[in-house]
Every structure is written in structure tokens, then in C-alpha cells.
Amino acid sequence: MLFQLITLIVGDVVCATLAISSSFLLRFDELPTALEFFASYGLRVAFFTVVALFTSYLMELYDIQKKLKKREIVARSIVSSLAMFFLLSALYYLLPVIMFGRGLLLLSLSIFTALQVFWHVIHKYGLEFSGGGRRVLVLGTGHLANLIGGVIASTNHSHILAGYFGCSREMVSVPDSCIVGSEEEGVANAARRQNAQKIVISLTERRGVFPLTDLMDCKFSGIEVIDAPSFYEQVTGKLLLENITPGWFIFSNGFKVSPLSRIFKKMFDKVLAVLGLVVSSPLLIIVAAAVKLTSPGPVLFRQIRTGMHEKEFVLYKFRTMRNDAESGTGAVWAQKNDPRVTAIGGFLRKTRLDEIPQLFNVLKGDMSFIGPRPERPEFVEMLKKEIPYYSQRHFVKPGITGWAQIKYPYGASVADAIEKLRYDLYYLKNISCTLDLLIFFETMKVIIFEIGR
């Protein structure tokens, strides 16, 4: 999947360079040498390319998991180019040194859009028809194997199911037609016959049936061997809690933050919080006035939340509900289209403007900009009893945004809390500066799309 993403991005870089050079040739009937071209226009080409990649990312053209149809690729590329035009126009105003002529810019954008559509369509259908995904043999035929088979089918051809390998004590929960081997043949022979490049161990019960020697043979033959929870994590971006043991947490890679990353995250939080408050200061006044004028009650909403190491703190938000929202019910989860939300509150929630005061929590050190969503103590105590490993999400500071917040809609039940915990624990396992930056840009994308709805 990573290779597919890299090829898409490299292809778009080439498309951007070709678009600009072609525009020069069409407009001026000549093209300077490569050295002269990049010496004179290298900075402009770089800005054009970076903006192209950024807007394409916002339009989800690099989301390998999405099964975009041809017309969707065309539509997203066109919208991406329109966004490029406005963003580049703003940058040209601020940095005239990177400016192209308007005619050259429009011509470059038109050519880039055509080249990008052509490249993405070729990449998509070429991958499908060439069978470019990695062939995966699933060891097992029970409910876990069936789950992994469904995950493979959802990877948009980055992985291809080679079949299931049956073991004697495994119940059969997969289609018989997909079982391609059994213990009599051996895993290694079945894997070679099916040209499998990866084996996912998905046995419901391993005792007495685990083919250790055969799997060692596969490993030394260059076939990747991985357990079901690790494969599930790689493909879905969340953890398979039902099949994870405490030992898996202890011996798996991850769940650690380097000193450099910790320093960067702290600086990132403080700088972003200060910048956010400075930039949003005019909005703070406008939103505060809107909240005060449209419903009785305080402007700010204060609520006790659970933070790092389950230490409680006071969270600040703009009030979006009636002042007496929980007077007759006590603590209850907020729902989508919650009737308790005020008219202005719905808009504030949609645009995430209600969360601006949480920047003060970040400055105080109660929260981070990115981390698991801070939950109410009443719900934490209940969920700790209902969900294994729930307490582990409190080993980092809660965040204004996070991996679970961008990957899963607002939760209002124990089932939703389990699903969000999968993402929270994935974040804890893979926490890094790179992942934090990804979450930051994904959050910007979510906000932009929500406002546009």
C-alpha cells in the first residue's frame, strides 16, 4: 500500500513539472534548457507542486483505501485544481517572487488536471487488472479468519485473498470454495502453490494445531508471516481488541515516545495554541456575543473531564446546549442532531468553533492539541468495567482532535466507545510527530468538508 501511495505522489510531481514546462512551450513557442528552467523557475515550480499535492490530499486522491470511480477521480481533480488556483493566488499576493503570469497559471492548471486524471485512472485500473496487490493466505477457517478475509477484501486491491488454509480443530466459518489447503499438504506447499507473499495467522485456537515447522519454512523462504491483530492494525489503522492479550501489548513494537518527539509535541502544542488564540481572537468575541444573544446562560461551558493518568480537570468550550440540558437526566452522551443543542450551537459544532476555548486547556497543560478525546469521569468509570484496556487510553494527554475523532463519528454508546478505543490505542502504539502532523491535516480536511455540506 505504501508503494502504491509513493507511486501516485511521484506521478503527480512529474505531472506538475510536465504541466508547467508544456505551458511554457505552448505560450512562448520555446523551452529553455532544463538547467536554465529550474534556475529561473525552480522555486515557482516547487510551490506549484507542493500546493498541487496538498489540494490533492485534501480531495482524498491519495487515499488508497477509497474505491474511486473514474468520474469521481475527474471531479476530485477538478475541485483540487480550483482550490489550487485560489490558494496560489493568495500565495502570489503574499510572495510575489513565486508568481506566474495569470495566463501561464491557468494553462498549467488545465494541463495538470488532465495529466493527473490520466495518471490516476491508469494507476487505479492498471493495479486492478495486473493483480498488483500482495497475495495473502489466511491460516485458519474460523470466525477470526473470516474477519481477516473481509478486511483483505476492503483494501482496494492492495491485498488479494489467496485463500484459507484449514486446520483440523478449526470450525469452518468461511466459504468452502475459498479453502485452498489443509494439514495433509502443509502450509508451505499451499503458500507456494497459491503464490502467496504473506501468511496471516488467524487461528481461533492454536494449541495442538499450530504448524510451527511449516511456518518457519515459509519465513525463511521469504514469505511474510504475521498474526491477525498486527495485520488488522496495518490495514485498518486500529487495533483488534477482541484478539489481543496483555502479552501482545508487552512484546509488540510501539507504545513509546522518544525524548525528541516528546519535546516536539510539547512545543507543537504551545506554539499552535498561542497562534490559534491570536488568529481566532476576533472570532472569540463574535462567537461569545452570538452565544449570549441567542440563548440564556453562560457563554463558556465548563465540565469536569478525565485527563492523563485519570487526573480530572476543567474543560472549556463555548456553550452549544441549553443551560439546563442535563437538569432532568444527569450525565448522558450527546447524540447526533441532539435536540438539546441551540440554533447557534449546531453551527458551532459543525465548524468546530465551539472547541476554540480548549486552546486555554492546552496552554495550561491539561490537554494536548492531538490525543484521545477527554471523556467525562462518570462514563470513564462505567467504560472501564465494560471494556478491557480502556484505562490505557489515559497514558497520554487528551486532545482537541485525534486519530479516533477523525476516523470515527461522534460516539454515543458502549459499542461506539469500543470502536473509538481501537483507534485511540492505535494512536498510542504508533504515536509520532509524523502521525500528529497527519492528524492535524486530516482535521483541517474534515472541517473544510463539514463546512461545505
Side-chain angles (χ1 to χ4, degrees):
M1 188 177 297
L2 179 60
F3 177 75
Q4 297 171 31
L5 176 60
I6 291 172
T7 55
L8 264 183
I9 293 174
V10 170
D12 277 359
V13 171
V14 173
C15 289
T17 307
L18 286 175
I20 295 173
S21 56
S22 300
S23 300
F24 266 87
L25 185 60
L26 291 172
R27 191 163 179 79
F28 303 116
D29 294 325
E30 62 177 355
L31 187 67
T33 64
L35 185 60
E36 293 173 341
F37 180 78
F38 283 104
S40 302
Y41 299 100
L43 185 62
R44 303 174 193 186
V45 173
F47 267 90
F48 183 93
T49 304
V50 169
V51 172
L53 296 179
F54 177 67
T55 56
S56 297
Y57 166 77
L58 288 180
M59 291 300 109
E60 300 183 330
L61 286 166
Y62 300 134
D63 190 340
I64 304 297
Q65 298 281 3
K66 283 190 175 294
K67 300 181 180 181
L68 298 178
K69 297 179 181 178
K70 183 178 178 180
R71 64 176 179 272
E72 291 176 317
I73 293 175
V74 173
R76 288 173 185 265
S77 293
I78 292 172
V79 174
S80 174
S81 292
L82 289 173
M84 279 181 68
F85 175 78
F86 291 111
L87 186 53
L88 283 169
S89 297
L91 288 172
Y92 291 166
Y93 179 78
L94 298 172
L95 299 169
V97 70
I98 66 169
M99 184 183 297
F100 282 123
R102 187 175 299 275
L104 191 62
L105 175 61
L106 291 174
L107 189 57
S108 298
L109 284 172
S110 300
I111 295 174
F112 173 73
T113 303
L115 290 174
Q116 185 181 52
V117 168
F118 178 76
W119 165 238
H120 279 247
V121 170
I122 290 294
H123 185 275
K124 172 183 172 60
Y125 290 103
L127 182 66
E128 292 181 8
F129 292 130
S130 65
R134 301 190 70 188
R135 291 181 60 80
V136 179
L137 179 66
V138 179
L139 177 58
T141 55
H143 71 274
L144 179 57
N146 189 48
L147 172 65
I148 294 300
V151 169
I152 293 170
S154 70
T155 61
N156 195 18
H157 305 284
S158 62
H159 292 85
I160 298 171
L161 179 64
Y164 300 92
F165 184 90
C167 294
S168 57
R169 299 184 188 178
E170 275 272 291
M171 63 179 291
V172 178
S173 301
V174 302
D176 291 336
S177 59
C178 295
I179 300 175
V180 297
S182 60
E183 291 173 317
E184 290 76 17
E185 179 185 13
V187 178
N189 291 330
R192 294 188 188 101
R193 178 167 50 80
Q194 293 297 324
N195 296 317
Q197 291 135 339
K198 180 182 289 190
I199 296 174
V200 180
I201 301 171
S202 307
L203 295 169
T204 306
E205 176 58 62
R206 296 188 183 186
R207 286 177 294 184
V209 297
F210 192 75
L212 180 61
T213 304
D214 253 8
L215 288 174
M216 288 182 63
D217 186 4
C218 293
K219 185 78 171 181
F220 284 106
S221 298
I223 300 173
E224 183 181 357
V225 179
I226 187 172
D227 64 354
S230 297
F231 178 78
Y232 184 88
E233 175 196 346
Q234 289 177 3
V235 172
T236 65
K238 56 185 178 179
L239 299 191
L240 186 60
L241 295 178
E242 296 86 346
N243 291 86
I244 289 179
T245 63
W248 186 90
F249 282 105
I250 295 170
F251 293 110
S252 65
N253 294 324
F255 298 107
K256 60 181 179 181
V257 183
S258 68
L260 185 62
S261 295
R262 190 176 290 109
I263 292 171
F264 175 84
K265 188 174 178 66
K266 192 171 184 178
M267 290 176 57
F268 180 81
D269 286 340
K270 301 300 183 185
V271 171
L272 208 58
V274 171
L275 286 176
L277 287 170
V278 170
V279 171
S280 64
S281 54
L283 276 174
L284 287 170
I285 300 171
I286 296 171
V287 173
V291 172
K292 192 66 179 176
L293 293 172
T294 55
S295 64
V299 169
L300 287 180
F301 173 73
R302 298 173 177 83
Q303 192 175 68
I304 300 297
R305 296 291 178 98
T306 301
M308 188 174 180
H309 301 312
E310 299 190 8
K311 181 181 177 182
E312 295 181 358
F313 69 97
V314 178
L315 178 136
Y316 305 106
K317 295 178 72 173
F318 281 120
R319 183 173 55 82
T320 59
M321 290 188 178
R322 301 190 313 267
N323 195 35
D324 61 346
E326 292 185 343
S327 58
T329 61
V332 293
W333 269 306
Q335 304 281 340
K336 188 175 181 181
N337 301 320
D338 199 310
R340 299 172 298 169
V341 174
T342 63
I344 190 66
F347 173 77
L348 296 180
R349 287 188 168 208
K350 183 177 181 180
T351 57
R352 310 294 175 92
L353 292 175
D354 63 316
E355 298 182 354
I356 293 177
Q358 290 180 47
L359 294 172
F360 290 107
N361 289 115
V362 175
L363 285 177
K364 287 176 61 180
D366 295 327
M367 293 178 64
S368 174
F369 197 87
I370 293 168
R373 181 180 180 274
E375 194 53 86
R376 300 175 66 173
E378 302 94 324
F379 297 144
V380 168
E381 291 306 313
M382 178 198 54
L383 293 171
K384 282 165 60 177
K385 297 174 183 177
E386 297 279 342
I387 306 172
Y389 312 120
Y390 189 81
S391 289
Q392 273 61 43
R393 73 192 295 273
H394 298 116
F395 278 95
V396 295
K397 289 182 180 180
I400 297 175
T401 185
W403 190 242
Q405 291 93 306
I406 63 173
K407 290 291 183 179
Y408 195 77
Y410 198 89
S413 67
V414 173
D416 289 334
I418 293 173
E419 197 64 23
K420 298 197 82 167
L421 181 62
R422 299 182 196 276
Y423 289 107
D424 285 334
L425 293 181
Y426 175 90
Y427 174 74
L428 265 68
K429 184 175 185 294
N430 298 280
I431 188 169
S432 66
C433 301
T434 304
L435 183 56
D436 279 0
L437 287 173
L438 174 63
I439 292 169
F440 175 76
F441 287 120
E442 282 286 332
T443 301
M444 296 300 104
K445 184 173 69 176
V446 169
I447 293 173
I448 290 169
F449 282 138
E450 282 293 330
I451 292 173
R453 287 182 181 176

